[in-house]
Amino acid sequence: MSLEAAIERLHAASRVAVLTGAGISAESGIPTFRDAQTGLWAQYNPEDLASPAAYATDAKLVWDWYAWRYELCANASPNAAHEKLAALERRTPEFLLVTQNVDGLHARAGSERMVELHGDIMQARCESCQTRFMLEAGFEIPPHCPICGTRARPNVVWFGEALPRRELERAQQAFQTCEVALVIGTSGVVEPAASLGRIAKNRGAFLIELNPLETPLSGFADASIRAGAVAGLGLLGL
Ligand code: APR
């Protein structure tokens, strides 16, 4: 299916669902998960730090890694791809942006109808009363709950943990009912987010993928555009 068809379908659609992954923030200078880590953290595999087992073994190590990523995200700015999606939302009657990213850049670019499936790196969550609270620059490690004083963990979903149920249902509903699904910058290997594009296509939606590399979704998509997020959205007329 041609790029022209993708442009036509996207611009005519009144129900659009978008899924983003780490690739959309690459052009804001935030390394993707599959990229090698740099500096101090080069020796660690992210999958061995973002897990309940890692936290149980060495909470300080895990928090040090999150504090480093917190700084990276706090100092990054949304790029044109985040902004283009916020603009697409404003002109689309039924719209949902589902992101696997925890960097908060979509919200900072103005996205509102949005689900953060994997949480928010700017927040911590009390291990006892579950209170969520914003972390300030230079926060103490580990942070403690402002209500009950118990140690708090990063407010993100780790490998092996369930996704928040309401957010996942909202995401699935949007992908089941959209006319056009747009999947941007995700390797498409971490479930259940990886299935959202397939769900949409199986329900008759037009599926567009934007990724510089081929993914498991590429052969299944109606249009698979080999480009970075900013250039690819430009090719789609956004
Ligand atoms: N524009 C668009 N896509 C890009 C760009 C870019 N400029 N640069 C890289 N990519 C693509 C890569 O080709 C890759 O397919 O972004 C994808 C990034 O893949 P991952 O690092 O696996 O990120 P993601 O798919 O978001 O990971 C899903 O896995 O590690 C867990 O919970 C973590 O949310 C994360 C989830």
Side-chain angles (χ1 to χ4, degrees):
M1 194 71 75
S2 67
L3 178 63
E4 285 69 35
I7 295 169
E8 204 173 294
R9 295 290 290 261
L10 181 61
H11 288 259
S14 56
R15 296 190 307 279
V16 175
V18 182
L19 172 68
T20 64
I24 197 165
S25 295
E27 289 166 81
S28 291
I30 299 176
T32 67
F33 279 87
R34 310 295 172 243
D35 283 345
Q37 300 215 92
T38 50
L40 271 183
W41 297 100
Q43 59 181 307
Y44 296 99
N45 180 346
E47 302 188 10
D48 296 332
L49 291 166
S51 75
Y55 191 61
T57 307
D58 194 342
K60 178 165 182 327
L61 177 75
V62 171
W63 262 120
D64 283 340
W65 184 59
Y66 275 95
W68 174 74
R69 292 180 56 215
Y70 172 100
E71 288 294 325
L72 202 64
C73 297
N75 292 325
S77 301
N79 64 50
H82 297 103
E83 281 155 14
K84 285 168 190 275
L85 291 179
L88 177 65
E89 172 183 344
R90 287 192 288 274
R91 69 166 207 230
T92 308
E94 276 185 50
F95 181 93
L96 190 68
L97 171 62
V98 178
T99 188
Q100 300 167 88
N101 299 345
V102 296
D103 55 35
L105 293 182
H106 283 301
R108 283 167 57 195
S111 287
E112 289 177 356
R113 285 176 277 167
M114 185 181 62
V115 164
E116 291 178 321
L117 274 185
H118 291 173
D120 180 352
I121 204 165
M122 299 290 155
Q123 296 182 352
R125 184 169 85 234
C126 176
E127 289 176 33
S128 171
C129 70
Q130 307 300 320
T131 296
R132 285 145 213 244
F133 57 96
M134 293 303 292
L135 293 163
E136 305 297 336
F139 61 85
E140 62 155 340
I141 290 180
H144 289 84
C145 176
I147 308 293
C148 72
T150 305
R151 190 179 70 178
R153 58 165 279 176
N155 187 30
V156 299
V157 177
W158 284 329
F159 285 97
E161 292 186 317
L163 268 60
R165 191 171 50 86
R166 238 181 274 140
E167 278 83 350
L168 181 59
E169 283 172 2
R170 201 172 155 212
Q172 286 167 333
Q173 160 84 11
F175 276 82
Q176 277 162 7
T177 55
C178 65
E179 294 162 75
V180 171
L182 188 51
V183 176
I184 307 173
T186 174
S187 53
V189 292
V190 177
E191 291 293 351
S195 298
L196 292 172
R198 288 175 190 278
I199 291 176
K201 167 100 174 148
N202 287 336
R203 294 286 185 110
F206 190 93
L207 175 60
I208 305 170
E209 181 192 49
L210 268 187
N211 198 310
L213 300 178
E214 193 170 325
T215 76
L217 200 63
S218 302
F220 194 69
D222 295 295
S224 186
I225 301 169
R226 291 281 150 276
V230 174
L233 288 171
L235 290 172
L236 286 168
L238 298 176

